[in-house]
Amino acid sequence: MTEVDEMAGDIERIHQLNSLLRPFIKRPSSGDAVTFEQYRILHELIREKTSTSELSRRLHVGQSMISIQISRLLKGGYIRDETLPTDRRYHVFQITPRGEAVHEHVSLVLTHELPQLMAKLATYVKV
């Protein structure tokens, strides 16, 4: 098999994985329309309140993506913004009771569905 053929096979597997993951990641988690990316932020905030830059570092995504998701979570009432009294420019975010309820719901769904998803994914991954 040539390198080009191998790369084409890898690209096809990536496409298949993306098709399999897209409905799981993009679907609303409950009656509240929270994306998987937003769930990841809620999951970090359940542990402790933190800043945009720290969330970006922990989740390995750009600060602009985090800022967009933070804005949506704030608008939905899932998190709240807190400025430090010593430095009004520094913001940390904290999960709200509504955010905690959504986090709990999504965690239950993941606990139930993730093993099935992983089994499907294993059929696409080269060993």
Side-chain angles (χ1 to χ4, degrees):
M1 179 179 281
T2 69
E3 189 175 320
V4 172
D5 291 335
E6 193 171 311
M7 187 165 74
D10 289 343
I11 290 170
E12 178 59 27
R13 276 191 292 284
I14 289 168
H15 176 69
Q16 291 170 340
L17 287 169
N18 187 42
S19 296
L20 183 63
L21 288 170
R22 188 178 308 119
F24 182 79
I25 290 171
K26 293 294 182 188
R27 108 178 145 217
S29 58
S30 65
D32 296 305
V34 175
T35 65
F36 190 73
E37 292 85 1
Q38 292 166 345
Y39 167 76
R40 291 179 65 209
I41 292 170
L42 293 176
H43 186 71
E44 288 299 320
L45 294 177
I46 211 87
R47 299 174 194 192
E48 64 180 325
K49 57 185 170 183
T50 192
S51 67
T52 304
S53 58
E54 181 61 18
L55 286 167
S56 174
R57 187 189 67 74
R58 288 183 194 173
L59 299 175
H60 306 286
V61 294
Q63 283 193 23
S64 61
M65 192 288 281
I66 294 292
S67 294
I68 290 167
Q69 299 305 332
I70 287 288
S71 176
R72 292 175 180 162
L73 289 167
L74 284 166
K75 190 181 289 184
Y78 304 109
I79 63 173
R80 67 176 156 262
D81 185 358
E82 184 179 305
T83 55
L84 297 180
T86 55
D87 185 353
R88 305 287 299 162
R89 296 170 296 171
Y90 189 76
H91 295 260
V92 291
F93 301 94
Q94 186 171 9
I95 197 164
T96 62
R98 182 176 185 187
E100 289 175 358
V102 169
H103 178 269
E104 183 178 344
H105 172 78
V106 175
S107 295
L108 289 172
V109 169
L110 287 175
T111 300
H112 175 69
E113 292 186 12
L114 201 53
Q116 297 163 13
L117 178 63
M118 294 304 289
K120 287 180 186 177
L121 289 173
T123 64
Y124 293 104
V125 177
K126 269 202 259 186
V127 179

